[in-house]
Amino acid sequence: MPRISIPRRNTGIPLAALAIALLLGTTACHRESPSAAAHPLAPHELARIGEAVVTTAQFQAERFRHPASISADELLQRLIRREQLLAEAHRTGFDRQPELIEAWKAFVTSRFEDSLRPELAPDDTLPESELAAHHALEAGRYRTPEAVHAALVQFHLPGAAPESRRREILERADALRTAAGGDHATPEAFARLAREHSQHAGTRRSGGDLGWVTRNQAAQFLPQSVVDQIFAPGQPGTVSPILPTSEGVFLVQILERRPARTLPLEDVRERVRRDLLAARAAAAETALLARLNALHPAAINAPALADLAPAVPSALAARPPRLPSP
């Protein structure tokens, strides 16, 4: 359940009205109201203002929050003035202004929500059996994707180049591939080919070495046909055929493969624990919302809401929701 923040708002109290209220509070401290005079004060009551009472417990709590330099009489007068202002605000209807009612609702619901936190917070002691069961049930969340350690060579192939120039570049790439060892070029020979002839700025100096990449990572900077070749079945060490693309001609060599796998519970125990606690908290909040809906059902005027809600642009409406990160 989201927290409701209460913005500071201008309540619109004129300074003159505030001064009058303070004056009323100051002068009222020196006389008893009829109701206050009619009923003797109980031992725990320090002052009575109409139906309101300033108790010794309230006084002690307020004294704890204020410096000791404030005298007891001054502190009591502050509490009396607060009750007087509150009574005058109620008498004049000031406390029934819509913005004050909304602010009060926000304050009460926020504090009540805080009081429910212990109920919504799940017990953080989780037995091993529950961790293991959640790990097995949500195994897909704890998988590492397939990764490949690859190297590449890139030759520029301008899109506007005439057909004769394209054939020349393809023939040169094929000749260099053959000279390096063809399908079974050694990693050393392929690295030398990359350092001497590759035009891929990011990997040329490292002998074409891409390092370990997943499919999603490779797709961020390589043409799709090159990505497909990197992750196509094949033995490490094999050199790909020539791959013409809109970004040039590529050669790829697979150095190592690391298959996708589910990480063991020992490696992701804390992550599984956090996920399970989050799932429990979400279930507790769902149960709370269901209880609130059952106890306090709401009737919604759907046509009126549709009239008030802004229309969603078609481009945004057609866009699929963003998926959470695994």
Side-chain angles (χ1 to χ4, degrees):
M1 184 182 297
R3 290 288 307 275
I4 304 174
S5 61
I6 309 175
R8 294 183 178 272
R9 301 188 59 185
N10 185 353
T11 58
I13 308 176
L15 291 178
L18 182 58
I20 293 172
L22 289 173
L23 180 61
L24 287 173
T26 303
T27 56
C29 294
H30 300 289
R31 68 175 188 271
E32 288 185 321
S33 66
S35 59
H39 304 285
L41 295 176
H44 72 284
E45 297 176 341
L46 286 181
R48 185 185 298 125
I49 309 93
E51 298 299 322
V53 172
V54 177
T55 66
T56 55
Q58 289 173 323
F59 180 86
Q60 293 292 2
E62 197 70 16
R63 168 178 274 178
F64 181 78
R65 289 192 292 269
H66 285 79
S69 59
I70 299 177
S71 68
D73 182 66
E74 181 181 357
L75 187 55
L76 179 59
Q77 291 305 317
R78 288 189 182 185
L79 294 174
I80 291 173
R81 187 179 304 116
R82 183 178 68 184
E83 296 298 337
Q84 290 170 333
L85 286 170
L86 184 61
E88 183 63 9
H90 183 70
R91 187 188 70 81
T92 60
F94 181 85
D95 60 343
R96 293 183 288 281
Q97 293 184 78
E99 68 244 32
L100 291 183
I101 294 174
E102 291 303 312
W104 174 246
K105 289 180 181 178
F107 174 74
V108 172
T109 55
S110 176
R111 293 296 295 269
F112 182 62
E113 183 182 356
D114 286 342
S115 74
L116 295 176
R117 289 296 170 193
E119 176 183 340
L120 296 178
D123 183 2
D124 61 358
T125 57
L126 299 174
E128 186 70 14
S129 58
E130 287 195 42
L131 291 175
H134 187 77
H135 176 261
L137 183 65
E138 302 288 343
R141 294 177 58 85
Y142 310 111
R143 285 182 63 81
T144 57
E146 178 187 10
V148 174
H149 182 195
L152 63 78
V153 176
Q154 179 184 11
F155 304 96
H156 283 321
L157 181 61
E163 185 60 30
S164 59
R165 177 57 177 161
R166 293 175 59 85
R167 284 198 305 270
E168 179 185 337
I169 293 174
L170 292 172
E171 289 171 1
R172 179 170 177 268
D174 186 55
L176 290 172
R177 178 181 183 276
T178 301
D183 292 348
H184 304 291
T186 65
E188 294 76 16
F190 193 88
R192 185 166 54 252
L193 172 62
R195 280 192 293 269
E196 294 176 359
H197 300 284
S198 180
Q199 294 168 303
H200 190 267
T203 62
R204 178 175 180 175
R205 292 185 179 180
S206 61
D209 194 343
L210 284 173
W212 287 96
V213 292
T214 64
R215 179 179 285 273
N216 286 341
Q217 290 169 339
Q220 295 177 15
F221 60 91
L222 290 173
Q224 188 58 49
S225 60
V226 177
V227 176
D228 292 341
Q229 181 63 45
I230 290 175
F231 288 88
Q235 291 297 320
T238 303
V239 176
S240 72
I242 295 172
L243 302 170
T245 75
S246 61
E247 299 177 32
V249 177
F250 288 84
L251 293 174
V252 172
Q253 184 178 48
I254 305 306
L255 303 176
E256 301 173 84
R257 293 187 184 277
R258 193 163 59 205
R261 69 186 184 101
T262 299
L263 296 172
L265 178 59
E266 306 84 67
D267 293 350
V268 290
R269 184 181 305 279
E270 186 56 30
R271 183 178 163 193
V272 172
R273 179 179 177 277
R274 289 196 306 267
D275 289 348
L276 185 52
L277 289 175
R280 284 186 171 185
E285 187 161 341
T286 299
L288 172 63
L289 292 176
R291 188 167 80 238
L292 291 175
N293 286 329
L295 292 172
H296 312 284
I300 297 176
N301 187 338
L305 178 63
D307 290 340
L308 293 173
V312 179
S314 57
L316 294 179
R319 184 181 303 167
R322 178 174 295 178
L323 297 177
S325 302

